[in-house]
Amino acid sequence: MKEIYQNSSLIPSTIAPISSTGLVLEGGGMRGLYTAGILDFFLDQNLQLPYVIGVSAGACHAASYISRQCGRNKRVNIGYIKDPRYISYRNLIKTKSLFGMDFVFNEIPNHLEPFDYETFYQSDQSYFIGTTDCVTGEPVYFDAKKSSPEIILKALMASSSLPFVSPLVEIQGKVLLDGGIVDPIPVRKSIEDGNKKQVVILTRNKDYRKKPFKSKWLAHCFYSKYPEFRKAMLNRHVIYNETLDFIEELVNLDQAFVIRPSEPLQVGRLERNPQKLTDLYKLGYRDAESSYQQLKGFLSDN
């Protein structure tokens, strides 16, 4: 398989799916269980959108959606949440990462909850993983369907590597971190790739707006060698809030359909309470179910 997929793509795609519809997935750490619930509902309805792009947790959940492994995201993210190998301060001390990256991106997908690579590669869906280049401060997107399994897992690791609690991830000469830093909701990338309609899954409530990052000294301390990355972190709230405004414009033009939590969130980025995570997963499933007829109308409207 390495030989077949050795030329992984780091450049924007020029493809335009037949139906010209993109599924755009926000990250959000453990808030991503909301997305997992939505994607499982889509799988139950056999709704396979042709183009999928995500960052951080959104990108991770997208993989099991494309491999059609309904329930896998729930089993992984709730079933192992109390396992110290998954997330713990012990990991932070031993590996400089709050999450056990080898456990999450090696032991789980390759042994404990095997990822179905065969179905994944046979799928006609396009799938892009967003990361942030620490040197340039610009987004880097991996075309996962043209990448080896090793590169996919490493790209997901990079996209999910939160600043300050995760080490830098090197892939093909690039130094990468959390995809949510510079392109937190990659709807513009989906449009650039030719999609006329966007289905956007957000993991924040409708009234949420990101506040400025205040710990400039901490960013300088951790990332003194990466000034462009520091600039991206300080500008993150501007990019995020402008993207939300842009998505609302697309909604008004009937070019985007948004699903976001219908109830106030009770889950944080690093939540470890299994019941709260289960409730959030169920909320995602219910929100997808309640909006499904409207979504079908959006998708079928030319």
Side-chain angles (χ1 to χ4, degrees), residues 228-287:
E228 296 303 320
F229 180 74
R230 297 201 308 272
K231 290 179 184 178
M233 288 191 65
L234 296 177
N235 196 48
R236 184 181 186 183
H237 69 289
V238 175
I239 295 173
Y240 185 89
N241 295 335
E242 285 182 349
T243 302
L244 287 180
D245 293 339
F246 178 63
I247 291 171
E248 288 304 312
E249 292 177 12
L250 294 177
V251 170
N252 293 333
L253 294 170
D254 199 32
Q255 295 175 11
F257 188 95
V258 175
I259 305 178
R260 53 162 52 99
S262 61
E263 300 177 7
L265 285 173
Q266 304 297 324
V267 169
R269 178 182 288 270
L270 300 177
E271 181 63 62
R272 297 189 65 195
N273 184 310
Q275 187 57 55
K276 287 185 177 181
L277 295 174
T278 300
D279 291 344
L280 184 59
Y281 170 87
K282 291 180 178 178
L283 176 63
Y285 196 97
R286 289 198 307 272
D287 284 351

Side-chain angles (χ1 to χ4, degrees), residues 116-184:
D116 188 347
Y117 289 105
E118 182 177 2
T119 300
F120 174 84
Y121 280 116
Q122 288 178 348
S123 168
D124 292 332
Q125 293 167 284
S126 301
Y127 169 42
F128 293 86
I129 302 167
T131 65
T132 298
D133 189 318
C134 295
V135 175
T136 66
E138 297 293 330
V140 174
Y141 308 98
F142 287 82
D143 186 343
K145 298 303 282 291
K146 294 181 180 179
S147 301
S148 69
E150 292 80 5
I151 292 295
I152 291 172
L153 291 174
K154 207 162 186 182
L156 289 173
M157 181 190 301
S159 188
S160 305
S161 291
L162 304 178
F164 309 118
V165 294
S166 302
L168 305 175
V169 178
E170 295 187 21
I171 306 176
Q172 298 177 340
K174 294 183 178 293
V175 181
L176 307 168
L177 274 178
D178 181 8
I181 295 295
V182 72
D183 195 9

Side-chain angles (χ1 to χ4, degrees), residues 93-131:
I93 295 172
K94 292 178 63 177
T95 66
K96 298 182 179 179
S97 176
L98 194 62
F99 288 87
M101 291 304 192
D102 182 70
F103 181 71
V104 174
F105 295 104
N106 177 23
E107 188 68 17
I108 288 178
N110 293 323
H111 303 288
L112 298 177
E113 293 287 344
F115 182 71
D116 188 347
Y117 289 105
E118 182 177 2
T119 300
F120 174 84
Y121 280 116
Q122 288 178 348
S123 168
D124 292 332
Q125 293 167 284
S126 301
Y127 169 42
F128 293 86
I129 302 167
T131 65

